[in-house]
């Protein structure tokens, strides 16, 4: 009789009817919540907080799937597992979104509203839209502790940010000063070195002539890609050993258009091979020139307003945009015969990662953190092994940045964010305080009235670098902080190794001074995950329109299919090329699991199955393979080799359990089977299925949870079930060896059947010639299964047998199999067919080889087209080898 549990399962797996219901059950039963009072050892993951403006993209889907697999595995393995979620207020990005919305909908700017009203508008936007990405993570199946969700501008999080600033201030690690910063003219704020990208653009190299004072008709020619910045020049530099200019060092030049007198200086950083060997020095708008100007005491002239227009320092050019000023400067130079030749070039341009506008180096009063004192412990954390970065090649990126770290500009000219906790008296004397100082209250040092708070806000990363412990209640020593810090695992992207990873390590060592050194490092393993590319190997982006929406893929294939496909396609440290059809892989696997378990349930009966010993080779083999699968999947997930774990799950479930064990055992599960044998098969299958669903669960949480409740003897939810113990499944090397020998023999016969086009229903006679006693013993022991699986009419085992004429042969471990074909197929018809196929393949191979030897094809065709042609050639050559083998078999 079939199992009523199986009957209640739909014939096909429908993720849409399962996922929402199951996730709601997990939430209602509070299964994701971590208990700080638990006696289980803690295991903590902090989600890299996505921007509150964000929507789920494939990078998020990959990273959060990895984290969910790890946290589900640790939860099942006996840990008190906390995966803490949250979002980042994303100062620049969020302010830009809201400003754009306000102008589009109401025609108002933030300046029209004023600071307080504008910030209220941003909070209102965040309440309406800020939770979208967290809801999307639920669709993916993420088992985060949503009761602990954090937002970087929450009141307690803000207190942590202010406390950190004040502590650094009190130690002299925070200072305000005029420095050359990266200025985003579109957003009108400073951005850090780590928030700019370099793009290659076509441009020009203009040669400008600077008259030498007192030498009529003589000039020094300088080359520049930004002629408008010459209005801020305060010197021209040459290399001290450059013979062309030795006599000009110390001379005075007249700056064209403005008439300012500027010196010629000697500086060893000048490259004599660049341009004319003389370079204009603009300390206010170029990092190298800033350093040169500092060494030589040159004046700093800032020619730009905050919006990128030219200021009063530029005289007649005041108010022009940078592009307008460039055109006018060039026209005016040409009119005075001071413009030389022009070269077309390609060069790297610094661009804001936020606004995509060109960065302008600008001298500005900003707040900075001294980084050198913080870098040492963060370097030692990696060198001592307390922090491990995987894959290991990213360790060098981390260390290189820290060893050459510069002070961090932490102030931003924005309204949305953590306002800098510094107040000033009437003499502009600053004071930092955790508790806000009231306007009019006495300055804590001077006693004079407080008149204003600093207008700037902190860089977004100045809250994110505290994330591993601020989310747990720091600066208070909360129960959560004591229990769940330090964390064990961080998975993140390579782009923020220094923006975020290194800074979190620095913050942990600097601010958690109540902990011993070994417990200050915020995480013991940092995993740098792959980058998801499109099918052509390009980064996914809005501008290219090549992104794949994970939610659309979940709607189409199901969350488990998306999760599993991403893991199977992503090898450790290797970027993944992704197209929509590749999610078929995960969908097929989900369907296979559903169908196989449905078949098994129909043969198990509705009651729990008692464990029974079995001497059957197939039972001993599948129990041994279950032992290995549990062991290997556990080891791979523990070591964060999730692709390896996914592959082992596929091999075990699809190849071993479905293709072999169920195929063999189904004869023993039917109504007419021997009762004792049937009971043994059912007991073995029930044990294996219970363990298998549990080790599949971290990768495929929805389908396994749905099937688990139908499994006889299952209790509760699979997500909180115990991870199976490999030791509960006997490991039998002899059974593994014998069954593998059987599989090899059956596969050899099936390959011959396929190669020689033998009809599936035609039984074959097989002659086995063992090289020694082992193969003969195995084939005699497993004869019944061999005959059944290979569809044989007869199996003869004889060490002295010779190969019959017109027979195929297959060499396997321990011997050779002969399959007579006379009377099975028409030998001559088959020979003709094979010869024709040989000719066809030979011609195709010749054409492909000719194409691949054509330099025009190799140089002009896209890389993926060339690669496809090479793959095609390899496939054709493999097919030709099979044809040759088949012809040889026919004699």
């Amino acid at each position: 009789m079939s199992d009523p549990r199986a009957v209640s399962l739909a014939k096909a797996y429908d993720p849409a009817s399962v996922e929402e219901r199951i996730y709601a059950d997990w939430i209602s039963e509070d299964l994701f919540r971590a208990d700080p009072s638990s006696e289980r050892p803690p295991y903590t993951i902090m989600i890299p907080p996505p921007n509150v403006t964000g929507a789920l993209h494939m990078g998020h889907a990959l990273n959060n799937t990895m984290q969910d697999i790890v946290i589900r595995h640790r939860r099942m393995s006996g840990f008190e597992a906390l995966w803490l979620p949250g979002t980042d207020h994303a100062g620049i990005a969020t302010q830009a979104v809201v400003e754009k919305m306000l102008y589009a909908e109401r025609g108002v700017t933030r300046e029209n509203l004023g600071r307080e009203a504008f910030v209220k508008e941003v909070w209102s936007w965040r309440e309406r839209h800020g939770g979208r990405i967290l809801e999307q993570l639920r669709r993916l199946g993420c088992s985060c502790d949503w009761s602990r969700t954090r937002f970087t501008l929450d009141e307690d999080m803000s207190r942590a940010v202010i406390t950190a600033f004040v502590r650094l201030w009190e130690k002299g690690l925070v200072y305000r000063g005029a420095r050359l910063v990266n200025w985003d003219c579109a957003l009108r704020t400073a951005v850090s070195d780590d928030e700019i990208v370099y793009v290659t653009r076509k441009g020009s190299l203009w040669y400008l002539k600077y008259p030498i004072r007192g030498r009529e008709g003589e000039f020094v020619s300088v080359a520049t890609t930004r002629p408008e910045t010459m209005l801020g020049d305060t010197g021209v530099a040459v290399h001290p050993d450059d013979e062309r200019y030795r006599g000009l060092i110390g001379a005075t030049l007249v700056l064209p258009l403005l008439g300012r007198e500027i010196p010629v200086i000697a500086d060893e950083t000048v490259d004599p091979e660049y341009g004319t060997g003389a370079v204009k020095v603009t300390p206010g708008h170029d990092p190298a020139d800033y350093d040169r100007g500092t060494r030589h005491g040159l004046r700093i002239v800032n020619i730009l307003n905050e919006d990128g227009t030219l200021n009063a320092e530029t005289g007649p050019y005041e108010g022009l945009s940078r592009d307008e000023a460039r055109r006018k400067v060039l026209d005016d130079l040409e009119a005075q015969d001071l413009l030389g030749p022009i070269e077309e070039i390609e060069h790297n341009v610094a661009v804001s990662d936020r606004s995509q506008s060109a960065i302008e180096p600008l001298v500005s009063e900003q707040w900075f953190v001294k980084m050198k004192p913080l870098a040492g412990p963060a370097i030692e954390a990696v060198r001592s092994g307390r922090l491990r970065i995987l894959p290991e090649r990213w360790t060098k990126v981390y260390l290189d940045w820290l060893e050459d770290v510069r002070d961090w500009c932490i102030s931003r000219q924005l309204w949305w964010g953590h306002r800098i906790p510094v107040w000033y008296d009437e003499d502009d004397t600053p004071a930092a305080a955790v508790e806000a100082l009231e306007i009019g209250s006495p300055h804590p040092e001077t006693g004079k009235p407080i008149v204003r708070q600093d207008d700037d806000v902190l860089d977004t990363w100045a809250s994110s670098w505290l994330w591993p412990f601020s989310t747990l209640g720091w600066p208070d020593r909360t129960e959560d902080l004591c229990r769940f810090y330090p964390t064990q695992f961080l998975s993140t992207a390579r782009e923020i190794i220094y923006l975020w990873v290194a800074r979190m390590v620095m913050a942990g060592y600097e601010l958690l001074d109540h902990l011993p050194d070994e417990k200050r490092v915020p995480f013991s393993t940092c995993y740098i995950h792959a980058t998801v590319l499109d099918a052509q190997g390009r980064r996914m982006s809005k501008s290219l329109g090549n992104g794949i929406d994970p939610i659309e893929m979940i709607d189409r294939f199901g969350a488990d299919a998306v999760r599993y496909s991403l893991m199977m396609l992503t090898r450790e440290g290797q970027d993944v090329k992704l197209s929509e059809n590749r999610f078929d892989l995960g969908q097929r696997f989900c369907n296979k699991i559903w169908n196989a378990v449905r078949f098994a349930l129909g043969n198990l009966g509705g009651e729990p199955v008692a464990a029974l010993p079995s001497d059957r080779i197939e039972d001993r083999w599948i129990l041994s393979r279950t032992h290995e699968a549990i062991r290997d999947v556990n080891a791979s997930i523990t070591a964060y080799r999730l692709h390896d774990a996914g592959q082992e799950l596929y091999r075990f479930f699809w190849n071993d359990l479905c293709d072999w064990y169920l195929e063999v055992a189904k004869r023993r599960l039917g109504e007419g089977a021997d009762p004792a044998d049937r009971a043994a098969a059912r007991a073995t299958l029930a044990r294996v299925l219970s363990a298998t669903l549990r080790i599949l669960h971290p990768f495929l949480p929805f389908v396994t949870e749905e099937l688990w409740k139908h499994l006889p003897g299952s209790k509760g939810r699979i997500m909180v079930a115990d991870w199976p113990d490999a030791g509960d499944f006997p490991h039998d090397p002899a059974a593994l060896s014998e069954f593998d020998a059987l599989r090899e023999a059956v596969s050899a016969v099936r390959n011959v059947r396929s190669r020689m086009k033998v009809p599936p229903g035609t039984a074959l006679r097989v002659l086995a010639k063992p090289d020694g006693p082992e193969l003969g013993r195995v084939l005699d022991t497993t004869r019944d299964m061999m005959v059944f699986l290979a569809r044989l009419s007869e199996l003869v085992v004889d060490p002295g047998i010779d190969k019959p004429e017109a027979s195929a042969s297959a060499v396997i471990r321990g011997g050779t199999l002969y399959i007579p074909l006379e009377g099975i197929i028409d030998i001559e018809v088959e020979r003709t067919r094979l010869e024709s196929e040989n000719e066809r393949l030979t011609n195709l191979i010749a054409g492909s080889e000719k194409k691949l030897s054509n330099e025009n094809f190799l140089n002009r065709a896209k890389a993926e087209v060339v690669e496809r042609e090479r793959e095609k050639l390899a496939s054709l050559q493999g097919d030709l080898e099979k044809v040759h083998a088949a012809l040889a078999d026919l004699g």
Side-chain angles (χ1 to χ4, degrees), residues 614 616 618-619 661 665-670 673 677-678 680-681:
S614 174
R616 296 282 300 223
E618 65 267 33
D619 292 346
Y661 182 73
K666 65 184 180 184
R667 295 184 303 163
R668 300 164 56 207
L669 293 168
D677 197 26
R678 185 184 186 203

Side-chain angles (χ1 to χ4, degrees), residues 376-402:
I379 292 170
E380 180 58 25
V382 166
R383 290 186 171 159
S384 68
R386 289 175 187 161
L387 170 59
R388 189 172 52 137
I389 299 176
L390 299 174
E392 289 186 3
R393 69 175 181 275
W394 296 111
T395 301
K396 185 177 187 302
V397 174
Y398 172 95
L399 291 174
D400 285 352
W401 184 78
L402 283 171

Side-chain angles (χ1 to χ4, degrees), residues 515-749:
L515 294 176
D517 278 358
E518 64 272 14
K519 290 191 174 181
R520 292 194 199 181
V521 64
F523 30 81
S524 51
T525 298
C526 173
Y527 187 95
I528 307 302
H529 65 71
T531 297
V532 182
L533 309 173
D534 71 6
Q536 298 178 42
R538 303 173 300 175
R539 278 180 172 268
M540 293 184 179
S541 68
K542 288 182 181 178
S543 60
L544 290 175
N546 62 342
I548 298 175
D549 184 345
I551 299 302
E552 289 183 8
M553 296 302 100
I554 290 171
D555 289 340
R556 183 170 157 192
F557 296 99
D560 286 344
V562 170
R563 292 164 61 105
Y564 188 75
S565 299
L566 286 171
M567 290 302 98
M568 286 295 281
L569 295 170
T570 309
R571 295 180 181 273
E572 184 182 27
Q574 296 181 16
D575 293 344
V576 55
K577 293 181 181 180
L578 191 64
S579 58
E580 292 186 8
N581 61 9
R582 303 198 76 177
F583 293 106
D584 286 344
L585 183 158
Q587 187 180 52
R588 288 195 304 271
F589 193 43
C590 289
N591 291 338
K592 185 73 171 181
I593 293 168
W594 184 269
N595 294 333
V597 174
R598 188 175 187 278
F599 166 79
L601 291 175
N603 288 280
L604 287 180
E607 298 302 319
V609 181
L612 292 174
S614 174
D615 290 331
R616 296 282 300 223
I617 180 67
E618 65 267 33
D619 292 346
R620 291 161 49 212
W621 172 76
I622 196 61
L623 291 173
S624 295
R625 280 296 294 125
T626 305
H627 172 106
E628 292 179 336
I630 296 168
R631 178 197 66 198
D632 294 347
V633 171
N634 185 68
S636 291
I637 298 179
T638 300
Y640 311 113
R641 299 192 310 270
L642 303 187
H643 171 81
D644 292 350
Q647 277 200 317
E648 175 59 22
L649 288 168
Y650 188 94
R651 281 192 298 265
F652 173 69
F653 189 87
W654 196 304
N655 298 343
D656 296 341
L657 182 57
C658 295
D659 287 355
W660 291 97
Y661 182 73
L662 285 179
E663 189 67 21
V664 172
K666 65 184 180 184
R667 295 184 303 163
R668 300 164 56 207
L669 293 168
E671 294 287 350
D674 175 78
D677 197 26
R678 185 184 186 203
R682 291 173 65 185
T684 300
L685 182 56
R687 287 178 67 189
V688 171
L689 277 183
S690 173
T692 302
L693 287 176
R694 282 178 283 163
I695 63 175
L696 285 166
H697 175 75
F699 284 77
L700 303 145
F702 290 110
V703 69
T704 53
E705 189 72 85
E706 181 69 2
L707 292 170
W708 177 256
K709 69 182 181 183
H710 294 275
L711 189 68
S714 64
K715 296 178 181 178
R717 294 284 178 187
I718 194 173
M719 70 157 285
V720 289
D722 290 338
W723 186 262
D725 184 347
D728 291 341
F729 294 81
H731 192 250
D732 188 336
L736 288 167
S737 177
E738 290 176 15
F739 198 86
D740 283 349
L742 169 67
R743 288 207 299 180
E744 186 179 3
V746 171
S747 297
V749 175

Side-chain angles (χ1 to χ4, degrees), residues 198-319:
Y198 291 91
V199 295
T200 301
R201 290 181 178 170
K202 292 183 177 180
S204 300
L205 188 65
W206 287 274
Y207 287 82
L208 317 182
K209 301 175 185 178
Y210 288 17
I212 304 171
R213 190 186 67 180
R215 300 191 192 181
E216 187 69 29
E218 293 188 41
F219 308 89
V220 172
S221 182
V222 298
T224 180
T225 59
R226 303 174 66 214
E228 69 279 6
T229 63
M230 59 87 61
L231 301 170
D233 286 0
T234 55
V236 168
V238 298
H239 195 279
D241 298 331
D242 193 332
E243 294 292 340
R244 295 171 294 178
Y245 300 107
R246 192 178 290 271
L248 279 176
I249 296 171
T252 299
L253 307 179
V254 179
L255 184 67
L257 308 183
L258 295 183
R260 186 164 60 233
E261 293 187 349
I262 60 176
V264 177
I265 60 172
D267 194 283
E268 292 187 347
T269 62
V270 175
D271 179 4
E273 302 300 320
Y274 178 77
T276 63
V279 297
K280 57 194 285 300
V281 181
T282 320
H285 297 285
D286 183 274
D289 289 352
Y290 180 83
D291 292 339
R292 290 178 184 130
T294 301
R295 283 194 294 274
H296 295 278
L298 299 181
R299 179 188 169 205
I300 296 175
V301 176
N302 174 22
I303 66 168
L304 294 176
N305 297 311
E306 289 185 355
D307 63 357
T309 58
L310 274 65
N311 62 22
E313 290 282 359
T314 64
Y317 305 95
E318 182 180 4

Side-chain angles (χ1 to χ4, degrees), residues 114 149 668 829:
T149 302
R668 300 164 56 207
V829 168

